[in-house]
Amino acid sequence: MSGTAIPARGKPAKASALHARASASFDAKLAETQALLRQAAALGADAVTQASSLGAEDVLITHLTDSLQLDIPVFVLDTGALHTETLALLERTQAHARAPVTVYRPRTEAVIHFVRSHGQDAMYQSVDLRKACCGIRKMEPLARALAGKSAWITGLRREQSDARAEVPLIDRAEAAARGLTKFNPLARWTWGDVWHYIATHGVDYNPLHDRFYPSIGCAPCTRAISLGEDARAGRWWWEDEGAKECGLHTQND
């Protein structure tokens, strides 16, 4: 997905109004997604969980799971560096979601040691330090969130980036090594499909999307995008790497 130009005059349009555009196969994709979520839920609430960054795709999945009355718990990684808008949405989600929403945070001592050793802005100094920060704030909490699980659900879509262009609906690549199956029920959805669902059902979403943040992570590592930019150009924009990933969805990272 390329960037969207910020209107020159007046208040920017709501993302739900700006991007909502169902593809011709939307109904078939929705049915496919519902079937995948039911398949995942059949594993049992103790075995499966949804990983939510509270981005557009993830709030959609949570809403759809609730509407289907499926017992799929949700977890959110609060890295300690999220935008205030994301934290506010987290509170609203915990208050209104049908399924329990568990928050995992990094080990305080690990964060303190990292900042003391490398500084608050270490992520800008090198790719290695940025990935080390992601490891402390995301990867270690993720391991705790997935402990004892046999499956998890993500909002990955093939359209998001070249690195995700072949995301399967059901990913069993780590089933043998880690005993984990990953469900990607929105793999075939377009950005327009996502916002069509959000707009149609009045799903609560992060207001940063209205300010041209298609991909939202930690505040120091996320910016708005502009016309012609890739959807993930606002993530770790100072790096030259083509693949903008933190390790959450990268095997052997």
Side-chain angles (χ1 to χ4, degrees), residues 171-190:
D171 187 348
R172 295 186 174 88
E174 296 183 310
R178 300 178 60 196
L180 277 172
T181 297
K182 184 188 292 185
F183 287 83
N184 306 305
L186 302 184
R188 299 199 308 115
W189 287 47
T190 66

Side-chain angles (χ1 to χ4, degrees), residues 1-252:
M1 184 200 77
S2 61
T4 304
I6 298 177
R9 297 180 180 178
K11 190 175 181 179
K14 286 279 191 180
S16 54
L18 190 63
H19 302 300
R21 189 174 297 106
S23 61
S25 57
F26 175 80
D27 289 341
K29 292 176 188 175
L30 178 58
E32 177 181 68
T33 296
Q34 291 171 327
L36 282 168
L37 289 174
R38 290 190 179 100
Q39 181 179 343
L43 298 173
D46 292 334
V48 65
T49 185
Q50 182 203 347
S52 176
S53 68
L54 299 168
E57 292 89 350
D58 295 326
V59 298
L60 184 166
I61 291 173
T62 301
H63 181 276
L64 187 54
T65 299
D66 286 355
S67 69
L68 294 172
Q69 298 188 333
L70 300 176
D71 293 322
I72 299 176
V74 180
F75 74 86
V76 174
L77 304 181
D78 178 359
T79 64
L82 299 180
H83 296 83
T84 56
E85 292 88 347
T86 304
L87 293 173
L89 177 57
L90 171 58
E91 290 184 354
R92 297 195 301 273
T93 302
Q94 288 181 303
H96 300 294
R98 176 181 179 274
V101 179
T102 304
V103 179
Y104 289 86
R105 297 179 174 88
R107 303 289 188 191
T108 302
E109 61 275 15
V111 174
I112 291 174
H113 178 72
F114 181 82
V115 173
R116 185 175 292 159
S117 300
H118 304 290
Q120 193 76 41
D121 297 328
M123 69 285 295
Y124 303 126
Q125 297 174 26
S126 73
V127 173
D128 287 343
L129 282 176
R130 192 272 291 173
K131 289 187 175 181
C133 186
C134 289
I136 292 169
R137 295 180 184 274
K138 295 182 179 182
M139 298 304 295
E140 190 279 330
L142 175 68
R144 281 186 275 127
L146 295 179
K149 302 296 183 182
S150 60
W152 57 312
I153 299 167
T154 84
L156 293 180
R157 294 184 300 108
R158 295 170 187 169
E159 187 188 62
Q160 287 169 334
S161 69
D162 290 342
R164 300 178 179 184
E166 297 183 5
V167 166
L169 290 167
I170 302 178
D171 187 348
R172 295 186 174 88
E174 296 183 310
R178 300 178 60 196
L180 277 172
T181 297
K182 184 188 292 185
F183 287 83
N184 306 305
L186 302 184
R188 299 199 308 115
W189 287 47
T190 66
W191 189 234
D193 288 332
V194 170
W195 285 102
H196 172 72
Y197 182 96
I198 289 174
T200 300
H201 296 278
V203 180
D204 188 14
Y205 65 85
N206 195 323
L208 287 173
H209 287 306
D210 295 337
R211 290 154 53 187
F212 304 94
Y213 285 73
S215 179
I216 304 169
C218 293
C221 301
T222 310
R223 64 163 174 80
I225 66 170
S226 57
L227 181 63
E229 287 192 299
D230 181 80
R232 288 180 66 80
R235 303 293 296 276
W236 311 294
W237 65 91
W238 61 91
E239 295 180 5
D240 293 330
E241 288 186 338
K244 300 291 187 177
E245 300 288 350
C246 62
L248 294 180
H249 300 295
T250 306
Q251 293 159 20
N252 301 318

